[in-house]
């Protein structure tokens, strides 16, 4: 496989619209990197620049020490799995998987060995003589992955590969991709807007917004120590709760919720006395306690956990209790905050 370096990549279209700003990333050999963010954030454009399907306006793309910034796509030794699979309807599964190798005029015996090996990895051995019309959506995606595997490329690229599958197939295919990565030890760049895919698949996540990289780190780093309000709000389901207020004389005070800061929090916010900050609390960090009373508006049982939606005055909150609850609309439950994140209201950056 390969090391991949994206150095100061910019993408500016002819109409002067900039889609990607100063993108920098070093991908280690065998690492699975997930680019995540909302639609239009520049993640797919970045992937297409790596593939050579979009010109790079400025910056450098380097694989194993070789600058391939201006190299044609066919010479980059990169395989891409698209959202729409792009299978040839008139070809069998075997022929679809072998097609790129046939174009390269590889030896027929080598092609046969590679296709059979990929089919075995993906559980497609008994499907090789079928046409795409005879396959399920999940099988379509596996054939598309198999077509990439047989090429043994230096880098695999995945562009929203699960977005056309239903929820059950999405989960199963996600696990197959994770197992595939572990088996091949392949260098992979994977694009998705689905944070569940990002958190479960990635060695590291690149979180993007409006063409800018917001944070790069492990899934746990982005979840536990988000760099800013965007990352905190985008990563996590249900999303983090946010409360705007002021730091005043060792306390946090908002219109509806106030509480004393502990010693560590006072030290953290020592420069913020009299200033506005944003408190962030993940739903699972709202526990039963005596800080304030939340009026329940909706109770969602999820089995071993319950999402309890409510408000304190006009402040909406969502709690995730690790038990089965049967609250009715209008019930009150005492709550406290087990762990709190603080953000500078003006810059939106995390206070650390």
């Amino acid at each position: 496989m390969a090391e991949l370096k994206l150095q100061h990549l910019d993408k500016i279209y002819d109409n002067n619209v900039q889609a990607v700003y100063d993108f920098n990333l070093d991908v280690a050999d065998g690492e699975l990197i997930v680019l995540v963010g909302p639609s239009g954030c520049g993640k797919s454009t970045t992937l297409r620049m790596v593939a050579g399907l979009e010109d790079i306006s400025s910056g450098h793309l380097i694989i194993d020490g070789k600058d391939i910034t201006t190299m044609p796509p066919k010479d980059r030794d990169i395989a891409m799995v698209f959202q729409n699979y792009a299978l040839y309807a008139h070809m069998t599964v075997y022929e679809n998987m072998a097609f790129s190798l046939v174009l390269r005029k590889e030896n027929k015996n080598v092609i046969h060995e590679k296709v059979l090996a990929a089919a075995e990895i993906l559980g497609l051995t008994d499907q090789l003589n079928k046409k795409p019309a005879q396959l399920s959506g999940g099988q379509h995606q596996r054939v598309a992955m198999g077509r990439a595997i047989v090429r043994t490329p230096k880098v695999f690229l995945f562009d929203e590969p699960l977005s056309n599958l239903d929820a059950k197939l999405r989960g199963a295919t996600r696990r197959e991709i994770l197992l595939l990565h572990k088996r091949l030890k392949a260098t992979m760049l994977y694009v998705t807007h689905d944070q569940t895919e990002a958190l479960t698949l990635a060695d590291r996540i690149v979180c993007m917004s409006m063409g800018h990289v917001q944070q790069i780190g492990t899934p746990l780093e982005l979840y536990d120590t988000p760099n800013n309000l965007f990352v905190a709000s985008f990563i996590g389901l249900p999303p983090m709760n946010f409360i705007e207020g002021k730091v005043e004389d060792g306390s946090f005070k908002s219109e509806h919720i106030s509480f004393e800061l502990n010693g560590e929090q006072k030290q953290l916010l020592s420069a913020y006395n009299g200033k506005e900050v944003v408190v962030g609390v993940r739903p699972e960090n709202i526990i039963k306690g005596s800080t304030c009373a939340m009026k329940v508006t909706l109770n969602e049982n999820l089995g071993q956990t319950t999402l309890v939606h409510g408000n304190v005055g006009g402040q909406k909150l969502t709690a995730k209790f690790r038990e089965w609850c049967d609250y009715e609309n209008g019930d009150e439950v005492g709550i406290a905050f087990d762990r709190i994140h603080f953000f500078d209201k003006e810059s939106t950056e995390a206070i650390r």
Side-chain angles (χ1 to χ4, degrees):
M1 293 304 153
E3 293 181 350
L4 174 66
K5 295 181 183 292
L6 290 71
Q7 298 178 336
H8 303 290
L9 295 191
D10 289 313
K11 178 59 186 179
I12 305 171
Y13 290 101
D14 292 339
N15 59 2
N16 288 324
V17 171
Q18 188 156 355
V20 178
Y21 297 79
D22 195 30
F23 189 105
N24 291 279
L25 177 67
D26 288 350
V27 184
D29 185 13
E31 191 173 20
L32 198 168
I33 298 287
V34 176
L35 277 59
V36 69
S39 297
C41 73
K43 57 189 185 296
S44 288
T45 301
T46 302
L47 198 75
R48 290 172 64 82
M49 284 194 286
V50 175
L53 302 177
E54 294 275 4
D55 291 334
I56 296 172
S57 301
S58 62
H60 295 277
L61 181 65
I62 298 169
I63 293 182
D64 279 345
K66 183 178 181 179
D67 194 321
I68 64 164
T69 306
T70 59
M71 186 179 287
K74 65 183 179 64
D75 298 327
R76 295 190 179 196
D77 201 8
I78 288 172
M80 190 163 180
V81 179
F82 294 92
Q83 178 179 344
N84 61 0
Y85 319 137
L87 302 182
Y88 295 104
H90 65 286
M91 293 183 180
T92 64
V93 169
Y94 184 101
E95 291 166 337
N96 267 284
M97 291 172 65
F99 187 64
S100 63
L101 303 181
V102 172
L103 288 180
R104 281 196 214 166
K105 299 182 179 178
E106 287 213 22
N107 180 279
K108 288 185 178 180
N109 291 331
V110 173
I111 293 174
H112 188 67
E113 288 176 6
K114 288 185 175 181
V115 171
L116 291 185
E120 184 178 353
I121 289 171
L122 296 166
L124 291 170
T125 304
D126 59 348
Q127 308 293 322
L128 290 174
N129 293 320
K130 292 183 178 180
K131 299 283 183 68
Q134 299 172 279
L135 304 177
S136 68
Q139 289 170 331
H140 278 134
Q141 189 53 269
R142 279 188 274 162
V143 175
M145 288 191 288
R147 188 172 51 192
I149 291 169
V150 297
R151 292 178 53 192
T152 57
K154 288 185 175 178
V155 179
F156 287 87
L157 306 179
F158 293 85
D159 189 12
E160 306 246 18
L162 308 185
S163 59
N164 290 335
L165 304 180
D166 62 38
K168 185 176 180 180
L169 271 177
R170 209 159 46 234
T173 310
R174 185 177 70 238
R175 290 188 290 274
E176 287 177 2
I177 291 173
L178 187 58
L179 290 170
L180 178 66
H181 175 251
K182 292 183 183 300
R183 183 165 181 175
L184 298 179
K185 296 180 172 58
T187 304
M188 294 182 175
L189 274 185
Y190 186 107
V191 161
T192 182
H193 64 275
D194 186 326
Q195 57 168 288
T196 300
E197 286 178 40
L199 290 169
T200 54
L201 286 174
D203 293 319
R204 286 187 298 152
I205 294 173
V206 180
C207 187
M208 297 183 69
S209 174
M210 300 180 69
H212 294 272
V213 173
Q214 301 296 315
Q215 187 170 354
I216 300 174
T218 66
L220 185 60
E221 286 170 344
L222 268 71
Y223 191 83
D224 268 0
T225 54
N227 275 355
N228 53 43
L229 282 172
F230 175 80
V231 178
S233 62
F234 191 82
I235 301 294
L237 194 67
M240 187 181 285
N241 298 283
F242 296 110
I243 309 164
E244 296 183 5
K246 274 188 177 182
V247 177
E248 292 184 356
D249 301 323
S251 297
F252 171 80
K253 296 180 180 179
S254 73
E255 185 178 355
H256 304 291
I257 297 173
S258 299
F259 54 85
E260 291 290 321
L261 301 173
N262 62 32
E264 184 179 342
Q265 292 166 345
K266 288 178 183 177
Q267 185 175 0
L268 180 68
L269 299 171
S270 59
Y272 281 85
N273 192 45
K275 296 181 180 179
E276 292 188 336
V277 298
V278 179
V279 160
V281 188
R282 293 212 178 274
E284 64 269 26
N285 294 135
I286 296 180
I287 59 175
K288 294 180 181 179
S290 57
T291 298
C292 53
M294 181 174 73
K295 183 172 287 188
V296 175
T297 56
L298 182 65
N299 188 92
E300 291 186 277
N301 292 117
L302 302 177
Q304 292 183 325
T305 61
T306 304
L307 295 182
V308 180
H309 307 272
N311 65 77
V312 179
Q315 176 68 55
K316 293 182 179 180
L317 296 172
T318 297
K320 186 176 183 179
F321 295 138
R322 296 180 180 88
E323 60 185 337
W324 183 280
C325 301
D326 286 311
Y327 295 113
E328 298 288 342
N329 187 19
D331 286 350
E332 285 197 351
V333 54
I335 60 170
F337 305 132
D338 185 39
R339 186 183 177 196
I340 298 172
H341 301 263
F342 295 96
F343 301 90
D344 185 298
K345 185 179 178 180
E346 186 174 342
S347 71
T348 75
E349 297 296 311
I351 301 171
R352 293 176 185 158

